[in-house]
Amino acid sequence: MTALLERYAAITGGDVVDKLRRLARPLRGMRVVHVNSTRAGGGVAEILHKLLPLLNELDIPTDWEIIEGDAEYYQCTKSFHNGLQGETVTIPDALLRHFEETNRRNAERLSDTLRDADVVFIHDPQPAPLLRMLPRRRGTWVWRCHIDVRRPYRPVWNYLRQWVADYDASIFSLSDFAQPLPHPQYLIPPSIDPLSEKNIDLEAGEIDAVYGRFGIDRARPMILQVSRYDRFKDPVGVIQAYRIAKRFVPGLQLVLAGGGADDDPEGEAVLREVHAAADGDDDVHVLLLPSDAHRVINALQRAADIVLQKSTREGFGLTVTEAMWKGKPVIGGNTGGIRLQVMNHHTGFLVSTPEGAALRIRYLLHNRERREHMGALAREFVRDNFLLTRHVGEYLTLMLLLKNGQDNRVLLR
Amino acid sequence: MNNGPTIQPFRIHDCSLAAIATGRRAQNLRELRDHIRDVNADSLYYHFWGSRLRPKFDEPVYNNDFASWAHHALRDEIVAERLSVVDPRDHRTLEGLRQELLDIVDFRLDEQEMVPWSKTDEQFSFIRSQIVVFDTGVSVRTPRELIAAIPGLSTSSVFYHFIDARRRTSDGRDDFTVWLEAQQGDFAALVDGLAEVDHYFVTLSSLRDRITEVATRWTGVEVTS
């Protein structure tokens, strides 16, 4: 076993890693390519940064390509994102033509790599048209949707559906997100990497350092939300919850820690809204962190008493998984992938309003034992279900099934 | 008791399950009935057995996803309780199982003036599964070797040999039992012990512990007798 696999085995158990090696054996040498829209910022890029080394370690040569676009292209794809999550959006035809033309240029640029690949994973809507623009491809193409598309704005979905219908398969995080499509829709929740800088254990000194660095008083309770500045993450709702809870816990401090993603043009506007809502409150710390501030986020999550993810739409919510892995109970929006992780009253609480979040903040801050018990349950739940090894195993299983036809039962020889 | 070497070794297998959305969703009991009637039988397999390999937090309260949904989403305790006692071992095929489910749901629909509904975002999503099975390369030749191997099995291997097996064997038995009964010697007490393990109400890791307990107890009896 290689050193990397041994490190995973130390966390998950040797049987888990041994299973990955056996699943990977029939796939050795297959060329796999992942395509998404950014190498930095957001959950998809984080997953790919960790998924690829492990697949390569298992002797499956895997590359990662980025689709290149300009501000107009990202404006269009951000509208797709908002529309898929249910917002009513209007996208001018000219923007759609620009989106298609950008994909056409990228198809030409990436044609050699993509045409020769055995399996191509296309992540989210941004690069979805690549398939139709490369008619002489030889491999199997899979569309991976990370977005909460439970109730999409139909005109947006109808437009995108034309680009994804021809794929050989698609992957959604939850069954609730699946849409009528003429191919199999596999269900694979995302994961976190326990060996990444974001999730490894830290020395106490490194955790302590974030208090001083950001002016947080370690003697007083601190609640945290880590996420991009995106309206669906409801950072303003978190500030409202903090204000209500602070009436009962006067020493309460709130940290909102986030950064932008290369493919998100709305971040600055939302950040302005957040600053306006914070209204100069010294106990509200609004942090704009660079996309590689993984250890800082790790330390903040470990320093927090409670972690929130009060999203109103959420494909999965890796920050929820990260916090749970650090033994923190999570107060999460009752939506999307958060429901798969936050088991109400067991690993945290699901809430629908700022008032609900405030109630749970007060409850947890006044019940230290309960908080610690929930945190311990949360960590074990992540260990069993949401670590990278499980995720890689499901990708390998999917590739084996695609390679072996549509039999319900495949016996590896 | 003869506990010597056996002719056919027990080859330990493992599996990995892929869940696939069928696109079918039910928001009320009547829709559930219609989809149970029409859905591919593989989906019934998933909702009784396969979902055990998917992320689940707690020990299951109900032995199948239909009963669980009736309780949590429809809040119809009567149909939840009736669905919860469906024992798939009573049916040689999934079609028989389908018919029993339909009978229970139809009976409940006939009893009520109103059809129970769930919230929009608590609909029942029908899922089917595909499974990849592989030989782990480990085999055991005697019952004692098998007993020694059980605590080290992965949870998916326990699923394959103890739960999935019930669909593969003609009389709905697990792989351990089938193999033990083919051995020379008297393993009746061990087989009876395994038959008493109710695999529906425990997590897979707890199931592995319970099988280990039964096997260890049998080993103790054997040693002292």
Side-chain angles (χ1 to χ4, degrees):
Chain A
M1 195 182 293
T2 66
L4 181 63
L5 293 176
E6 275 179 10
R7 290 179 67 199
Y8 283 110
I11 294 170
T12 62
D15 58 321
V16 172
V17 171
D18 192 50
K19 182 173 175 177
L20 294 185
R21 292 165 65 218
R22 290 191 180 277
L23 288 171
R25 196 169 292 165
L27 301 169
R28 276 182 189 164
M30 280 179 77
R31 280 166 302 169
V32 178
V33 182
H34 289 261
V35 183
N36 81 321
S37 62
T38 177
R39 211 174 280 280
V44 180
E46 274 191 39
I47 289 170
L48 290 176
H49 271 297
K50 302 304 170 189
L51 193 70
L52 266 69
L54 197 45
L55 287 171
N56 282 303
E57 198 81 9
L58 292 164
D59 294 327
I60 301 170
T62 308
D63 291 317
W64 176 8
E65 299 290 348
I66 303 293
I67 193 160
E68 295 173 354
D70 56 15
E72 256 186 303
Y73 167 78
Y74 289 126
Q75 186 192 339
C76 182
T77 59
K78 182 66 182 180
S79 297
F80 288 158
H81 196 274
N82 292 343
L84 290 176
Q85 295 200 136
E87 193 176 305
T88 301
V89 292
T90 304
I91 308 176
D93 274 353
L95 217 51
L96 295 175
R97 300 292 87 78
H98 185 73
F99 166 75
E100 292 161 14
E101 182 51 35
T102 303
N103 267 278
R104 195 165 289 111
R105 282 202 307 277
N106 278 277
E108 285 169 19
R109 183 174 62 84
L110 300 172
S111 65
D112 290 348
T113 307
L114 297 181
R115 280 193 175 123
D116 289 344
D118 294 299
V119 185
V120 176
F121 290 97
I122 299 289
H123 293 262
D124 283 338
Q126 297 94 329
L130 289 177
L131 173 118
R132 291 258 296 270
M133 293 168 178
L134 289 167
R136 284 184 291 118
R137 60 191 181 273
R138 57 181 278 275
T140 302
W141 284 54
V142 181
W143 185 58
R144 203 314 177 201
C145 180
H146 296 266
I147 302 168
D148 178 347
V149 285
R150 196 175 3 167
R151 290 187 225 172
Y153 179 54
R154 286 291 156 192
V156 170
W157 171 249
N158 290 341
Y159 172 79
L160 286 170
R161 190 184 185 283
Q162 65 174 319
W163 299 113
V164 300
D166 291 345
Y167 279 75
D168 298 296
S170 54
I171 303 173
F172 293 88
S173 297
L174 270 76
S175 60
D176 290 351
F177 299 166
Q179 295 293 325
L181 286 167
H183 57 239
Q185 298 176 68
Y186 291 87
L187 304 173
I188 302 180
S191 63
I192 59 163
D193 180 7
L195 301 181
S196 70
E197 297 235 299
K198 182 85 78 76
N199 297 305
I200 50 170
D201 288 340
L202 298 178
E203 298 288 338
E206 192 166 354
I207 300 169
D208 290 345
V210 296
Y211 291 103
R213 178 172 172 188
F214 298 115
I216 304 163
D217 180 357
R218 67 173 304 163
R220 293 190 280 138
M222 187 263 274
I223 57 175
L224 168 75
Q225 174 157 306
V226 176
S227 63
R228 284 185 292 112
Y229 290 102
D230 178 315
R231 291 190 185 93
F232 286 115
K233 312 291 184 187
D234 199 16
V236 172
V238 173
I239 293 174
Q240 290 169 354
Y242 152 83
R243 289 244 160 79
I244 299 168
K246 196 172 173 74
R247 299 211 304 259
F248 302 90
V249 187
L252 188 62
Q253 302 168 95
L254 167 66
V255 176
L256 292 169
D262 294 347
D263 58 351
D264 183 358
E266 290 181 358
E268 282 182 26
V270 178
L271 185 59
R272 281 195 296 275
E273 293 168 14
V274 169
H275 278 298
D279 195 24
D281 186 334
D282 290 340
D283 283 338
V284 177
H285 303 266
V286 181
L287 312 181
L288 187 61
L289 300 173
S291 62
D292 60 351
H294 302 309
R295 290 184 83 100
V296 174
I297 289 171
N298 186 341
L300 283 168
Q301 287 169 328
R302 289 177 192 280
D305 294 292
I306 304 165
V307 174
L308 289 95
Q309 189 59 55
K310 217 201 86 49
S311 306
T312 56
R313 288 280 191 280
E314 192 62 76
F316 186 69
L318 287 175
T319 52
V320 172
T321 335
E322 290 160 9
M324 289 169 66
W325 179 241
K326 285 145 194 143
K328 304 295 175 183
V330 174
I331 298 172
N334 188 5
T335 188
I338 296 175
R339 288 174 171 178
L340 198 62
Q341 304 179 75
V342 176
M343 297 295 132
N344 209 7
H345 298 268
H346 295 285
T347 61
F349 292 104
L350 294 171
V351 298
S352 305
T353 60
E355 291 81 358
L359 174 71
R360 299 311 184 187
I361 291 166
R362 288 170 56 196
Y363 173 82
L364 286 173
L365 288 178
H366 283 102
N367 290 277
R368 186 190 183 95
E369 272 185 28
R370 181 91 169 117
R371 202 165 73 221
E372 290 175 353
H373 177 65
M374 278 184 159
L377 288 177
R379 179 173 168 89
E380 288 315 301
F381 189 48
V382 171
R383 188 196 303 278
D384 289 344
N385 296 292
F386 300 120
L387 294 184
L388 181 66
T389 40
R390 188 272 310 154
H391 198 181
V392 170
E394 293 206 56
Y395 265 98
L396 296 173
T397 303
L398 169 62
M399 287 193 278
L400 285 165
L401 290 167
L402 292 173
K403 186 180 169 194
N404 285 278
Q406 285 302 308
D407 290 343
N408 286 336
R409 198 166 279 259
V410 171
L411 180 61
L412 300 184
R413 300 289 174 191
Chain B
M1 184 177 292
N2 184 342
N3 199 16
T6 57
I7 298 168
Q8 286 292 327
F10 184 95
R11 301 196 66 82
I12 295 175
H13 284 69
D14 204 337
C15 68
S16 185
L17 181 130
I20 304 165
T22 65
R24 292 177 180 271
R25 293 193 181 102
Q27 195 174 352
N28 62 43
L29 195 59
R30 179 166 287 128
E31 289 176 2
L32 184 78
R33 188 270 314 273
D34 291 347
H35 285 307
I36 289 175
R37 182 188 62 209
D38 299 334
V39 76
N40 191 301
D42 292 328
S43 184
L44 303 182
Y45 168 84
Y46 179 86
H47 291 296
F48 268 84
W49 292 280
S51 61
R52 300 291 299 278
L53 281 173
R54 304 295 291 173
K56 285 248 169 95
F57 173 68
D58 223 343
E59 296 190 342
V61 178
Y62 294 95
N63 72 343
N64 62 78
D65 292 343
F66 304 114
S68 183
W69 182 72
H71 167 74
H72 288 107
L74 295 183
R75 318 242 186 249
D76 184 336
E77 301 305 330
I78 292 173
V79 76
E81 289 173 7
R82 288 173 183 163
L83 287 167
S84 70
V85 295
V86 173
D87 186 349
R89 290 176 301 184
D90 293 342
H91 304 284
R92 295 190 62 184
T93 66
L94 287 169
E95 292 310 316
L97 176 62
R98 187 199 305 269
Q99 193 53 54
E100 183 177 358
L101 294 171
L102 288 174
D103 289 345
I104 290 171
V105 174
D106 274 332
F107 188 77
R108 183 63 183 146
L109 285 168
D110 290 344
E111 284 180 330
Q112 301 184 98
E113 292 295 322
M114 305 285 283
V115 176
W117 282 71
S118 74
K119 292 180 186 169
T120 304
D121 59 357
E122 290 183 350
Q123 296 181 59
F124 188 94
S125 295
F126 283 81
I127 295 170
R128 67 181 178 92
S129 57
Q130 290 179 285
I131 190 166
V132 173
V133 180
F134 57 93
D135 191 329
T136 63
V138 177
S139 61
V140 295
R141 295 192 162 274
T142 68
R144 282 183 185 281
E145 285 181 17
L146 176 62
I147 290 165
I150 286 170
L153 296 180
S154 68
T155 51
S156 45
S157 185
V158 171
F159 169 85
Y160 178 76
H161 287 301
F162 205 74
I163 298 177
D164 180 75
R166 291 161 201 268
R167 241 193 104 197
R168 284 185 275 108
T169 53
S170 58
D171 48 2
R173 292 177 302 164
D174 65 272
D175 286 339
F176 303 136
T177 295
V178 171
W179 185 75
L180 287 167
E181 288 185 339
Q183 308 309 304
Q184 291 182 338
D186 180 9
F187 301 104
L190 178 54
V191 166
D192 288 348
L194 290 174
E196 287 174 11
V197 175
D198 193 334
H199 62 84
Y200 281 113
F201 301 107
V202 290
T203 62
L204 290 173
S205 55
S206 300
L207 176 61
R208 177 177 55 200
D209 294 344
R210 293 206 182 174
I211 297 169
T212 303
E213 275 172 33
V214 166
T216 307
R217 200 181 320 130
W218 178 83
T219 311
V221 170
E222 180 67 5
V223 169
T224 55
S225 63

